[in-house]
Structure formats: C-alpha cells, structure tokens
Amino acid sequence: PTEDYDLWLRFSEHTKMANLEEPLYKWRVNIDGIMSSVNAEQAKRSREFLQKLAMVRQEKGVDLLQEGDLAIIKEFAAIREQWLLTNKKVVSFRIRSSQLNYNFAEDFLRIGDLNSCFHYLKKSIIDYPLNFDAWHLLVGVIKKRFWQ
C-alpha cells in the first residue's frame, strides 16, 4: 500500500525534493481505495522497509529487490502476506471510514496541524466509537493543544 512512497524515495535519489506549504493539487480519497483499508501499523512497517531499501541503494548503489536478495524478498513477502490477510477480512463501511479518518488525523499531527488532526479524530470516533487508537490519539492531541 505504499508504492507512492517508494516512488518518491526513488525520485529523491536523483533530484532535489522538498515539501511545499502550499497545496498544488487535491487528493481524492475513495473509501474503498487501497489506503482506506491499511492500518497504521501496516503502513509504518511498509514505510520502514522502503526506507531500509532506499538507504542501501544510497550507501551501496544496489537495489536489493532487483538483485534478488533472499532475505529482503522474504521480508517483502511477509509484509505483503500480512496486508493480504488483513484485507481478506470483511470490514464494515463505518470501520473503514473511521480508519481512514484516523489515518488523516495522524498525517495532520505529523505536520503539526492540530486543528485538522482534531477534526479527523472526531470524525473517526463518530464513525466507529470503538476505535481505541483514535481515542488514545485524541487524548494526546488534547494534552498537546491545551497543556503545552
């Protein structure tokens, strides 16, 4: 579920890149899209794997996946298998919506936009009140916002 992240890492190996404050495009999100079913732990594990591959490419000039490194291929297969198993489960629309809003909240927290983070956490909790990750993050955001 993080192919785009890999693409940007590969671009960054060949040119200068930066994050811009001003949005240059809008991203349409579909509740049935691939990212709506990815949980935070899966995405984190996948990003860490891709970062490891990028570091090896940068340090050694070798793409371990393309080289057929068995340990890397096994790790890749394990990540993919876990993703496939998770996505075989039938999950309700409200739970998927809650997870998607939670993912947005995490992204806004990462860039320091607490208002947007709070907004998406509320949506996440309204969609699925048993999303304990959302409640946990909400407590952290409230602490950060009011007791900092």
Side-chain angles (χ1 to χ4, degrees):
T2 52
E3 303 90 1
D4 292 350
Y5 185 66
D6 184 47
L7 177 68
W8 293 114
L9 285 173
R10 289 173 186 271
F11 279 157
S12 72
E13 294 167 14
H14 300 284
T15 189
K16 285 179 94 174
M17 297 183 68
N19 286 324
L20 303 174
E21 296 269 336
E22 176 189 358
L24 300 178
Y25 69 92
K26 291 186 178 186
W27 178 32
R28 186 174 63 91
V29 177
N30 181 344
I31 194 65
D32 293 320
I34 193 167
M35 290 310 291
S36 66
S37 61
V38 174
N39 70 36
E41 191 57 39
Q42 287 174 313
K44 179 182 176 203
R45 185 172 176 208
S46 185
R47 281 191 304 268
E48 288 170 351
F49 174 74
L50 294 172
Q51 288 167 350
K52 181 168 72 172
L53 290 177
M55 285 176 48
V56 171
R57 282 194 308 270
Q58 193 173 38
E59 293 170 4
K60 299 181 181 179
V62 175
D63 187 316
L64 294 177
L65 274 178
Q66 288 179 345
E67 294 289 314
D69 182 282
L70 290 179
I72 289 296
I73 290 172
K74 277 185 174 181
E75 187 176 351
F76 175 78
I79 291 169
R80 186 172 188 280
E81 182 66 24
Q82 181 61 44
W83 182 79
L84 290 172
L85 285 173
T86 302
N87 287 309
K88 282 184 180 177
K89 297 176 186 172
V90 176
V91 180
S92 78
F93 175 84
R94 292 181 71 90
I95 293 172
R96 286 194 322 253
S97 178
S98 175
Q99 186 61 46
L100 186 62
N101 284 311
Y102 174 77
N103 291 344
F104 285 145
E106 280 191 319
D107 289 342
F108 280 113
L109 180 62
R110 242 180 250 112
I111 63 170
D113 184 345
L114 294 182
N115 289 333
S116 295
C117 176
F118 186 71
H119 168 77
Y120 283 101
L121 281 173
K122 285 191 305 185
K123 289 177 74 163
S124 176
I125 291 168
I126 288 168
D127 283 341
Y128 184 60
L130 296 178
N131 185 341
F132 297 112
D133 289 335
W135 284 105
H136 184 255
L137 187 59
L138 179 63
V139 170
V141 168
I142 290 171
K143 282 181 182 178
K144 190 170 191 167
R145 190 173 186 187
F146 295 109
W147 286 289
Q148 207 174 25

